[in-house]
Amino acid sequence: MIGECMIELSQNNELGEYKQSFAGDVFNTGVYIKRCLKDSAQVSFLSVIGEDKLSTQFLNLMANEQINSRYLYRCKSNKMGLYIINIDQYGERTFDYWRENSAARQLMQLIKQDSDKMAFSSVTTLFFSGISIAILSPDDLQDFWKFIKCRRSQGCQIVFDPNYRPALWPSPEHAKDAFEIAYSLSNVVLPGVDDHKNLYNHQTAAEIASHLEAKGIGEIIIKNGDLEVLVSARGRRTKIDIIPVTEVVDTTSAGDAFNGGYLSARQNGKSVKDAVIYAANVAGCVIQHKGAIVPKACFDTAITPLV
């Protein structure tokens, strides 16, 4: 799992008090993969954090979730990014970010300085998102592509979720150029319809499938909120209905949870169709709770019987 995890402050009550936690799209996905697979797979997080107390708290969270920190770098000069979730009187959520000097932006510099380059040779799957690459400088992004190409040439499966966030990119053209490279290097992709509507002006899942099939991607899973999922596996398309959740509390991490459920199910040998159904159940569990990472006991109660 390659990406950024941030310090999250969310409004806890009407007095303006905030609750502190940690979240990030790729990290959230890693947590749900590990919870689904338990001891049958090792999940590691490749990123950079600071050397401050909050960064140490994050390390403790990783240990509690059994996420391996072998590939986690620590930076003296930079700290983890931070964001605040604001909720207005109508329940609408807005976000304020402080990530310009995030430690995670130093990732490629620290990888290049790492003398133990062979440490990555044992990795069998790499997952990254549009956010993972949006925070990198242009030079670091070029080094990132070299890193991904090297891993793929060694037989590593590459998985990509575009997770388009316009505010993180200099322009839509910059994002599109990067996504096209990411797609060309990926074996499995997990786009959302909204990602492509905003960036490519694709209006339907079928349009997205056509665009990505032309790149020769073997496994394309197109998410569309609580609507059906369109799958294109080795050129064959299948629509898979999912059962919408009636009591939705917080959809912040719906896509991350779906990704975690899908990738864990495929790792466990489930078919693409069964993996999508399982992933929808994982996401359905998560959105019935507040926060990106739901309490482990609640998750295990809902999901363990489905494995």
Side-chain angles (χ1 to χ4, degrees):
M1 318 301 293
I2 309 176
E4 177 184 32
C5 193
M6 302 180 71
I7 300 161
E8 177 188 274
L9 297 179
S10 56
Q11 192 171 323
N12 202 32
N13 55 40
E14 295 179 356
L15 299 176
E17 296 176 336
Y18 286 82
K19 175 186 176 183
Q20 182 254 308
S21 55
F22 299 95
D25 63 337
V26 170
F27 179 74
N28 301 341
T29 293
V31 167
Y32 291 123
I33 290 175
K34 184 60 179 178
R35 286 187 182 183
C36 291
L37 291 175
K38 301 190 184 303
D39 294 333
S40 65
Q42 182 171 279
V43 177
S44 302
F45 187 46
L46 174 55
S47 188
V48 188
I49 60 174
E51 294 187 348
D52 56 292
K53 290 183 178 178
L54 282 174
S55 293
T56 300
Q57 280 185 26
F58 175 65
L59 267 180
N60 294 335
L61 170 63
M62 287 183 62
N64 185 54
E65 294 289 350
Q66 296 183 297
I67 304 294
N68 193 305
S69 60
R70 177 185 181 187
Y71 303 111
L72 188 69
Y73 296 95
R74 302 197 75 170
C75 177
K76 290 183 179 180
S77 58
N78 298 76
K79 297 178 173 62
M80 298 176 72
L82 178 147
Y83 70 98
I84 291 179
I85 303 174
N86 305 295
I87 305 175
D88 66 17
Q89 59 183 332
Y90 304 107
E92 294 297 321
R93 298 154 62 91
T94 57
F95 302 84
D96 292 312
Y97 291 91
W98 291 264
R99 73 194 318 169
E100 291 81 5
N101 297 307
S102 165
R105 293 178 181 267
Q106 307 301 314
L107 178 62
M108 296 315 301
Q109 298 298 319
L110 291 172
I111 287 178
K112 285 194 294 184
Q113 295 169 20
D114 193 342
S115 59
D116 188 16
K117 296 293 193 302
M118 292 304 293
F120 299 107
S121 61
S122 61
V123 176
T124 57
T125 300
L126 276 177
F127 173 76
F128 67 99
S129 76
I131 295 175
S132 307
I133 54 179
I135 65 172
L136 299 177
S137 70
D139 287 344
D140 285 346
L141 185 55
Q142 294 309 309
D143 288 331
F144 181 83
W145 298 136
K146 293 176 185 176
F147 176 79
I148 295 297
K149 288 176 183 177
C150 181
R151 302 282 76 75
R152 176 162 174 160
S153 71
Q154 295 177 351
C156 184
Q157 175 179 246
I158 308 301
V159 184
F160 175 62
D161 177 352
N163 208 1
Y164 177 50
R165 296 292 183 270
L168 291 177
W169 294 95
S171 70
E173 289 71 27
H174 282 84
K176 195 180 295 185
D177 288 345
F179 286 6
E180 290 300 290
I181 296 173
Y183 280 139
S184 73
L185 295 173
S186 297
N187 307 101
V188 180
V189 296
L190 296 146
V193 169
D194 286 343
D195 294 326
H196 276 247
K197 275 185 179 178
N198 294 331
L199 188 59
Y200 291 90
N201 199 32
H202 292 155
Q203 298 302 309
T204 66
E207 287 182 72
I208 299 169
S210 296
H211 179 77
L212 298 179
E213 286 166 350
K215 302 180 184 303
I217 301 169
E219 201 163 306
I220 304 164
I221 312 300
I222 303 170
K223 300 165 288 186
N224 194 12
D226 61 357
L227 303 178
E228 63 188 13
V229 173
L230 179 61
V231 169
S232 176
R234 293 177 295 280
R236 293 188 60 185
R237 295 186 190 180
T238 306
K239 293 181 179 179
I240 303 172
D241 292 324
I242 59 175
I243 301 173
V245 172
T246 56
E247 297 181 10
V248 176
V249 174
D250 185 348
T251 61
T252 302
S253 194
D256 307 335
F258 182 97
N259 292 347
Y262 181 80
L263 294 173
S264 63
R266 292 293 281 150
Q267 177 69 26
N268 259 344
K270 289 183 181 291
S271 68
V272 169
K273 180 179 180 179
D274 288 344
V276 167
I277 294 170
Y278 179 78
N281 283 320
V282 171
C285 164
V286 170
I287 65 176
Q288 292 179 74
H289 298 82
K290 190 174 182 179
I293 299 175
V294 306
K296 190 180 292 185
C298 298
F299 184 87
D300 287 345
T301 299
I303 300 303
T304 299
L306 303 177
V307 176

